[in-house]
Amino acid sequence: MERPEALVIGAGPAGLMAAEEMARAGLQVCVAEAKPSLARKLLMAGKSGLNLTTQEDAEAFLAAYGAAESRLRPILADFGPEQVRRWAEGLDQPLFTGSSGRVFPIAMKASPLLRAWLARLAGLGVEMRPRWRWQGWSGAALAFATPEGERCIAPGVVVLALGGASWARLGSDGAWADLLAAKGVPLAPFAPSNAALSVDWSAHMARHFGQPVKPLALTAGGQRVRGELVVSAKGLEGGGLYPLTPALRKDATLTLDLAPDLAEAAVAERLAQPRGKRSQANHLRRTLRLDPVRLAVLNEFARPLPPAPQTLAARIKALPVAHAGLRPLDEAISTAGGVRWDGLTDELELRALPGVFAAGEMLDWEAPTGGYLLTACLATGRFAGRAAAARLRSGPAGGT
């Protein structure tokens, strides 16, 4: 029976940050990870450019977390965008800020940052144990399936950073939910967040697969987002859609504004210009500069197009999207649901399991892409690691 001072289960950003904080506090820390390699989802996110955080007004940044904002506020106040920047730069990762305020490493990829981070953790004495899959409890100890067979650990404190329930092949399979539910931990059901929409396209849309729809504004549930979409074989995806996922989960109607820089009256006025011998499609191209992709989307969801300029203008400015709902949970970038806040103390300790803390995406919060997800994972991991270290120093945690 091993008895390390601190155990982290899950080697994503939240788990690694928790391990770093506990090691800095002088604890003996080991990290158990079910997969053969560490931080797989972070590496996947970095393939298209690792968006670490976003530089914007503090209140605007916090508003991105929706219903969880009040619980995350003190955690993000302690470790927000500026602290994330300093942390990354401390790992010798130079950064740049894009025109949208999004912050990236100059290298763009996640792998250089991860290598530097793992080297730091090794220097702090953190022990990594890949291929250690958590199986639950064996008495007061935690049981793992490992390449050497079943092993049990009885640590002083535990930080769980097990991720959500999307991208199971990268490690976030949500299998931990049943283990915690059996111990009385309250859970909110998993749901897709930052998810694409399923659309049963007509055959003529195939030529547009992979093409962006822009300029564009999207509205659902009273929220309007200026962004873009991508037409894919399965439906619609992209950064403009993801902030609307909470509303779409509630069956809110999604509408597209295909001419976001013009008022409806201006669109109608342009459409009312003499058409001559031009086809309706050419008239739309000439008067509104609608490109082939936006024209195809308009025809897909509004065919037959109304001939009256005012009616057609209203359709262009608020085009209802016929879809078959969000794509499956495992395809979502992230998930909502997880450990409910009423099951946690202010220190992120599980009320049902003294000495066990939780961090990262396994908590019941969600945020759009754009650095918000990674920032909160790092921040909650840091917070939980510090709280766990303080808990161990204050006295026995009780049966975990």
Side-chain angles (χ1 to χ4, degrees):
M1 177 73 70
E2 291 186 79
R3 300 184 183 276
E5 290 180 296
L7 170 68
V8 177
I9 307 179
L16 295 179
M17 186 61 87
E20 179 174 343
E21 291 301 319
M22 290 190 291
R24 288 188 181 282
L27 302 187
Q28 173 202 2
V29 183
C30 64
V31 178
E33 166 57 47
K35 292 295 183 179
S37 57
L38 313 179
R40 287 189 168 193
K41 197 170 181 181
L42 177 69
L43 290 172
M44 176 64 76
K47 283 192 172 182
S48 58
L50 182 63
N51 188 182
L52 281 171
T53 192
T54 294
Q55 289 293 140
E56 63 180 342
D57 173 79
E59 290 303 315
F61 187 85
L62 286 166
Y65 297 94
E69 178 269 331
S70 61
R71 291 300 300 262
L72 290 172
R73 175 179 286 269
I75 298 171
L76 290 166
D78 195 44
F79 196 80
E82 186 55 40
Q83 290 79 11
V84 170
R85 289 184 66 106
R86 293 202 295 266
W87 168 79
E89 289 167 347
L91 289 167
D92 296 324
Q93 302 300 304
L95 309 175
F96 74 93
T97 303
S99 58
S100 64
R102 296 185 177 190
V103 178
F104 300 85
I106 288 177
M108 291 300 287
K109 297 179 180 179
S111 50
L113 182 145
L114 181 60
R115 283 195 297 270
W117 196 5
L118 293 178
R120 173 189 284 178
L121 292 172
L124 290 169
V126 176
E127 181 185 357
M128 301 294 173
R129 299 186 180 184
R131 295 189 176 92
W132 275 52
R133 177 171 288 277
W134 184 40
Q135 303 292 293
W137 282 266
S138 177
L142 293 99
F144 293 85
T146 80
E148 292 77 35
E150 184 173 304
R151 300 283 296 276
C152 290
I153 300 181
V157 288
V158 181
V159 176
L160 303 177
L162 293 158
S166 64
W167 292 78
R169 65 187 178 88
L170 300 179
S172 298
D173 58 13
W176 53 266
D178 289 341
L179 299 177
L180 293 188
K183 291 287 188 176
V185 176
L187 303 174
F190 292 123
S193 183
N194 294 300
L197 279 178
S198 293
V199 179
D200 297 322
W201 296 117
S202 301
H204 81 279
M205 289 297 296
R207 69 175 72 98
H208 302 292
F209 291 167
Q211 296 298 310
V213 185
K214 62 178 183 179
L216 185 71
L218 307 87
T219 301
Q223 182 180 0
R224 180 180 169 91
V225 175
R226 183 69 183 258
E228 67 178 64
L229 293 174
V230 174
V231 178
S232 74
K234 294 180 179 180
L236 290 168
E237 57 189 60
L241 181 66
Y242 299 149
L244 302 176
T245 306
L248 295 172
R249 284 202 306 267
K250 299 176 182 176
D251 297 323
T253 298
L254 173 66
T255 61
L256 308 180
D257 182 350
L258 299 177
D261 297 318
L262 294 172
E264 185 176 319
V267 174
E269 182 179 352
R270 293 189 182 194
L271 292 174
Q273 295 175 10
R275 196 168 96 182
K277 295 183 179 181
R278 291 194 301 270
S279 67
Q280 189 179 42
N282 283 333
H283 189 58
L284 286 165
R285 290 191 188 98
R286 183 184 178 106
T287 57
L288 297 178
R289 298 183 179 178
L290 293 186
D291 58 17
V293 179
R294 282 185 293 162
L295 275 173
V297 169
L298 176 62
N299 276 285
E300 179 72 11
F301 296 125
R303 192 172 50 235
L305 300 184
Q310 188 60 54
T311 307
L312 181 54
R315 196 68 57 87
I316 290 168
K317 291 293 291 180
L319 177 66
V321 174
H323 60 85
L326 295 169
R327 295 294 303 164
L329 181 65
D330 194 50
E331 294 181 20
I333 292 175
S334 58
T335 51
V339 177
R340 288 187 353 214
W341 292 102
D342 60 356
L344 297 160
T345 68
D346 290 343
E347 289 71 39
L348 301 184
E349 186 174 13
L350 296 173
R351 296 184 187 278
L353 296 168
V356 180
F357 297 74
E361 198 183 334
M362 68 181 293
L363 305 180
D364 183 19
W365 61 275
E366 62 178 317
T369 57
Y372 305 100
L373 291 168
L374 184 51
T375 298
C377 284
L378 293 170
T380 55
R382 177 178 181 271
F383 190 90
R386 289 189 165 197
R391 180 74 156 87
L392 186 63
R393 297 307 188 206
S394 69
T400 61

